[in-house]
Amino acid sequence: MKNRLRTNILIDAGLLVGMAAVSISGFVMNVILPSRHAIRHAGARAHASQLLGMGRHDWGTIHTWVGVALLLLLILHVAFHWKTIDAFFHKNLPNRGVRIAVVGLLTLFALMAILPWIYAL
């Protein structure tokens, strides 16, 4: 039980750090280091060409790979809490047909998030 709690805390901490990293890198790319297109056509201002020794593309790479890590951690999080999720749906959606439709819709959303990555490989 103690290992399960430790694993849960590590997964949740990883999700929190990952969300912060995606948020910060997105902010850097959109506000601090906007694209040339945004500067020319949207009236954005370029404050610098680099931040912490990294350009916009470097920050984009960080943003992308942290996003991939977040997807993987989310899959682990859902798998780790599957019994709780299953109990929640059985309690709050007693109609089996509605439950299947909701789970099917959530599965579709998950596939929409994962399939582009599989296709890109």
Side-chain angles (χ1 to χ4, degrees), residues 93-116:
L93 298 172
N95 184 317
R96 187 171 190 266
V98 172
R99 196 167 53 241
I100 289 171
V102 169
V103 171
L105 188 61
L106 292 174
T107 302
L108 177 65
F109 289 147
L111 287 173
M112 288 170 59
I114 294 168
L115 285 178

Side-chain angles (χ1 to χ4, degrees), residues 7-115:
T7 302
N8 187 35
I9 290 171
L10 288 173
I11 290 170
D12 291 349
L15 284 166
L16 178 63
V17 170
M19 286 186 281
V22 165
S23 178
I24 290 166
S25 61
F27 177 82
V28 167
M29 289 187 308
N30 285 313
V31 177
I32 307 295
L33 305 172
S35 69
R36 289 185 190 133
H37 177 78
I39 292 168
R40 250 186 258 128
H41 300 291
R45 292 181 172 207
H47 299 290
S49 62
Q50 289 192 341
L51 180 64
L52 301 176
M54 296 183 292
R56 181 177 168 75
H57 292 288
D58 300 317
W59 284 97
T61 300
I62 290 170
H63 188 77
T64 299
W65 286 109
V66 173
V68 171
L70 275 174
L71 278 175
L72 295 174
L73 285 170
L74 180 62
I75 291 167
L76 285 174
H77 181 82
V78 169
F80 201 77
H81 293 88
W82 187 251
K83 286 182 182 177
T84 305
I85 294 167
D86 189 48
F88 173 83
F89 280 116
H90 274 86
K91 180 180 179 182
N92 292 297
L93 298 172
N95 184 317
R96 187 171 190 266
V98 172
R99 196 167 53 241
I100 289 171
V102 169
V103 171
L105 188 61
L106 292 174
T107 302
L108 177 65
F109 289 147
L111 287 173
M112 288 170 59
I114 294 168
L115 285 178

